[in-house]
Amino acid sequence: MILNAFFINLIASIISYFIIKYLIIKNYNLPNVFEYFTMYTLTGMLLILFYIKNISNNIMADIFIFIIFIFYYIRSYDASRKKFHERFRSMILSFGYTRNSYFETFLSKKLILKGTESFFYGTGVFYILNKLINISNDNVNIINILIPSILLFIASIVKTTKTGKIYKFVK
C-alpha cells in the first residue's frame, strides 16, 4: 500500500515538474483555479475520493486522485516559483541568462526542494486516508466525510484570500 502511494505521488510530481518547467520557460501564467489546490483542498478531495473508491471500487476515482495530485504539485511548484521569481527574475535575466538557463541554474533548485516537501506530505496523506477509509469500511457515513471536506475547502479559500478581505468581513 505504501508503494502505491509512493509511485502515484512520484509520477504526479514528475509530470507536474515538467508542466511547470514548460510554463515558466514559455512565460505562461497558471489559471487562478490552481490557487485553491493547497494542502487543505488536497486532503478534503482525497477524503471524498477515497470514500467513493471504497464504496464503488471504480477506476475513475483512481484517475481523479491522480489528477488532484498533479494539480496539487503544480500549485506547490508555482507557489515556490512566485517567491523566488518575483524577487530575482529581472536581476538574473539582466545578467544575460536565458529563461532556460535561468530555470536550470536558479529556479529548479527551489522547485525541487518544494516538490520534495510536497511529495512527502502527499504520500503521507494518501497513505493515511486510504488506510483510514479501508479500516472503517462500512461504519463511515457520507456526512462524516463531507463535513471535514467542506471545512478543509473553506480553509483553503481563507488561505488563498488576501488578509484584508477576511479582516473586513470579520470586522
Side-chain angles (χ1 to χ4, degrees):
M1 193 56 81
I2 190 72
L3 289 176
N4 189 18
F6 181 80
F7 284 122
I8 286 175
N9 277 281
L10 183 65
I11 292 169
S13 179
I14 290 170
I15 289 171
S16 301
Y17 178 80
F18 286 112
I19 289 171
I20 203 72
K21 178 181 177 181
Y22 175 78
L23 294 174
I24 290 170
I25 290 174
K26 294 295 183 180
N27 205 21
Y28 294 133
N29 289 324
L30 284 176
N32 290 335
V33 73
F34 281 96
E35 286 297 316
Y36 296 109
F37 283 93
T38 62
M39 68 176 80
Y40 306 117
T41 304
L42 172 75
T43 307
M45 290 183 129
L46 286 180
L47 192 59
I48 292 170
L49 288 171
F50 280 129
Y51 180 77
I52 292 170
K53 179 182 168 186
N54 192 31
I55 61 172
S56 68
N57 209 3
N58 192 348
I59 190 74
M60 288 303 290
D62 289 327
I63 293 170
F64 284 129
I65 288 169
F66 184 70
I67 290 170
I68 294 300
F69 271 113
I70 288 176
F71 286 177
Y72 168 69
Y73 287 124
I74 287 174
R75 192 258 180 220
S76 178
Y77 287 135
D78 190 53
S80 179
R81 175 199 65 90
K82 284 180 182 176
K83 283 183 185 176
F84 191 75
H85 200 59
E86 291 171 354
R87 295 180 192 153
F88 302 110
R89 178 180 169 249
S90 59
M91 179 181 72
I92 292 171
L93 290 177
S94 68
F95 290 145
Y97 287 97
T98 64
R99 282 193 182 118
N100 199 10
S101 62
Y102 159 70
F103 181 84
E104 295 298 327
T105 306
F106 298 101
L107 199 55
S108 64
K109 296 172 189 167
K110 301 289 183 185
L111 294 181
I112 289 172
L113 183 64
K114 181 64 174 180
T116 305
E117 173 191 341
S118 299
F119 171 77
F120 285 116
Y121 178 78
T123 304
V125 166
F126 182 98
Y127 182 73
I128 193 82
L129 288 179
N130 197 14
K131 281 293 188 188
L132 286 175
I133 295 294
N134 285 337
I135 288 171
S136 61
N137 209 356
D138 293 328
N139 300 337
V140 178
N141 190 351
I142 187 66
I143 298 299
N144 296 337
I145 298 296
L146 283 179
I147 291 173
S149 297
I150 291 170
L151 292 173
L152 288 166
F153 184 69
I154 291 171
S156 174
I157 290 172
V158 169
K159 181 177 181 173
T160 57
T161 324
K162 302 295 182 215
T163 56
K165 292 180 184 177
I166 298 294
Y167 177 73
K168 289 177 188 175
F169 180 73
V170 173
K171 185 178 173 184

